[in-house]
Amino acid sequence: MPIYILKRLLLMVPTLFGVLLLTFAVIQFVPGGPVEQYLAEARSGAGTGASAEGGGMAYRGSQGVDPQKLLQIKALYGFDQPVPERFWRMLVQFSRFDLGVSFFQNKSVSQLIWDKLPVSISLGLWTFLISYLVAVPLGVAKAVRAGSRFDLVTTLLMLLGYAIPGFVLGVALLVIFGGQLQWFPLRGLTSSHWNDLSPWAQVTDYLWHIAMPVTAMVLGSFAVTAMLTKNAFLEEIRRQYVITARAKGLSERQVLWKHVFRNALIPILTGFPAAFIGAFFTGSLLIETLFSLDGLGLLSYESVIRRDYPVVLGTLYFFTLIGLITKLISDLSYMWVDPRVRLD
């Protein structure tokens, strides 16, 4: 196993290099870079009404700007250096886990990620917990009652929830429960006076704010887990050892929870690391935008729109690295959960 882990870790290096190289190359041809945006904002502030156009290093927005001033702006963003040198400098920084500094927010990318994590953790972790706590028992109940009216009705409801996009449900929740009935707040993760509340009131206020966003995200997410649990249980129930256990006089509860449950949860438990770690680092852009939640999804979107390249590349590197490590842990969990699996 140590050799397998070492091979997987070594394979992460070319994967990260390829992702960064492709993204960095695409960025060079995207119009409206940070220099153009800086010049456009400066002209707009001066009331000229000029706009930035073009792409690459041919800045049409630089027309009428003092060449010396333009060189200073390029040097400010590091665009006075050749492309290969900038790419190499970025790789050296990333190898030291230095994600750089944002062009427009005057903060390190690491600090920005850290500041946005609480919102994304709140959304992702609650979605993860509720999905598993509801989906696994529901899947077991559906497997035991396979073909019954309960199985049919719950399947239809789950498919309906899975078919409704999260942002559509979010809009409906905002209009009905936030606007018309005014049962829940329309925006934010906490109230403006949250710091002045008692501890119990703070918890209540937080849950009051997070209810609609989590509902919009969780409704369709547990459908896959529930159906996976049901199918895994149905497959195990039909196996010979279940028939043997029943023939020995074991009760249905003992057969189900002592024998079937342990084997049926193998495919679910192996996906647990990815789902758990993903809860901390995945955010929904549309949900965060709808409910005015300043999380990682909104940070990524705004960095792309503003051409904040250090944030784009830094977050991409960080999330890709987390994803590769999580995939390795998920593969190793197969062996830890099922002793029959051999990584060799």
Side-chain angles (χ1 to χ4, degrees):
M1 187 174 69
I3 297 178
Y4 174 81
I5 296 176
L6 180 61
K7 288 181 179 179
R8 290 290 300 270
L9 292 176
L10 292 177
L11 284 174
M12 292 181 186
V13 177
T15 303
L16 285 170
F17 178 82
V19 170
L20 293 174
L21 177 62
L22 180 62
T23 307
F24 189 86
V26 170
I27 281 176
Q28 307 310 308
F29 302 99
V30 175
V35 176
E36 279 191 300
Q37 294 205 15
Y38 179 90
L39 295 173
E41 291 177 2
R43 288 172 176 238
S44 177
T48 60
S51 60
E53 299 177 358
M57 297 304 295
Y59 291 104
R60 292 178 57 188
S62 64
Q63 296 176 359
V65 178
D66 181 29
Q68 189 65 29
K69 179 66 174 177
L70 181 60
L71 290 176
Q72 292 177 359
I73 297 174
K74 288 184 178 181
L76 176 66
Y77 293 115
F79 288 101
D80 58 331
Q81 303 294 329
V83 174
E85 183 176 341
R86 285 191 281 120
F87 180 68
W88 173 252
R89 188 169 64 248
M90 181 193 69
L91 291 180
V92 173
Q93 287 182 345
F94 285 176
S95 66
R96 302 193 304 262
F97 296 98
D98 178 9
L99 304 183
V101 180
S102 170
F103 284 157
F104 301 103
Q105 303 192 47
N106 197 27
K107 286 185 178 180
S108 66
V109 177
S110 301
Q111 183 63 42
L112 286 174
I113 294 175
W114 183 257
D115 292 340
K116 309 299 182 182
L117 266 181
V119 173
S120 295
I121 288 177
S122 295
L123 290 176
L125 193 57
W126 280 112
T127 302
F128 166 79
L129 290 175
I130 294 176
S131 297
Y132 267 77
L133 290 176
V134 173
V136 173
L138 180 60
V140 174
K142 288 173 63 62
V144 174
R145 301 172 178 83
S148 66
R149 180 177 300 179
F150 170 81
D151 183 29
L152 177 61
V153 172
T154 53
T155 299
L156 292 176
L157 292 177
M158 284 193 303
L159 292 177
L160 179 62
Y162 186 74
I164 299 176
F167 70 93
V168 175
L169 179 61
V171 172
L173 293 175
L174 279 174
V175 172
I176 298 175
F177 296 101
Q180 295 180 355
L181 300 177
Q182 297 183 355
W183 288 357
F184 296 95
L186 296 175
R187 55 184 301 165
L189 201 60
T190 57
S191 300
S192 57
H193 60 286
W194 187 79
N195 292 326
D196 300 328
L197 300 175
S198 64
W200 176 251
Q202 287 180 341
V203 173
T204 304
D205 181 77
Y206 166 75
L207 295 177
W208 185 44
H209 280 77
I210 204 68
M212 287 201 300
V214 169
T215 301
M217 293 184 64
V218 78
L219 187 62
S221 62
F222 70 87
V224 175
T225 306
M227 295 305 297
L228 179 63
T229 304
K230 174 192 172 182
N231 294 334
F233 265 78
L234 286 177
E235 183 179 355
E236 292 296 325
I237 287 175
R238 300 189 182 102
R239 293 188 181 274
Q240 184 64 40
Y241 73 87
V242 176
I243 300 176
T244 303
R246 288 171 176 168
K248 289 182 176 180
L250 295 179
S251 65
E252 193 66 23
R253 180 180 294 274
Q254 289 178 315
V255 172
L256 182 63
W257 297 106
K258 187 176 180 180
H259 298 281
V260 177
F261 185 77
R262 181 176 58 184
N263 295 323
L265 284 186
I266 288 178
I268 300 173
L269 292 178
T270 51
F272 188 89
F276 182 76
I277 297 178
F280 290 87
F281 299 104
T282 56
S284 175
L285 168 62
L286 294 174
I287 297 299
E288 290 179 7
T289 304
L290 277 176
F291 294 94
S292 300
L293 302 175
D294 191 11
L296 291 175
L298 196 58
L299 173 66
S300 302
Y301 173 74
E302 290 179 347
S303 63
V304 172
I305 295 299
R306 301 189 66 184
R307 306 297 191 268
D308 198 345
Y309 296 150
V311 179
V312 174
L313 292 168
T315 54
L316 177 67
Y317 168 76
F318 181 68
F319 294 148
T320 303
L321 182 61
I322 292 296
L324 292 173
I325 294 175
T326 303
K327 180 61 177 175
L328 174 59
I329 296 175
S330 297
D331 292 342
L332 293 176
S333 65
Y334 276 97
M335 186 192 67
W336 296 331
V337 173
D338 190 352
R340 297 171 297 178
V341 175
R342 291 291 181 268
L343 296 177
D344 297 337

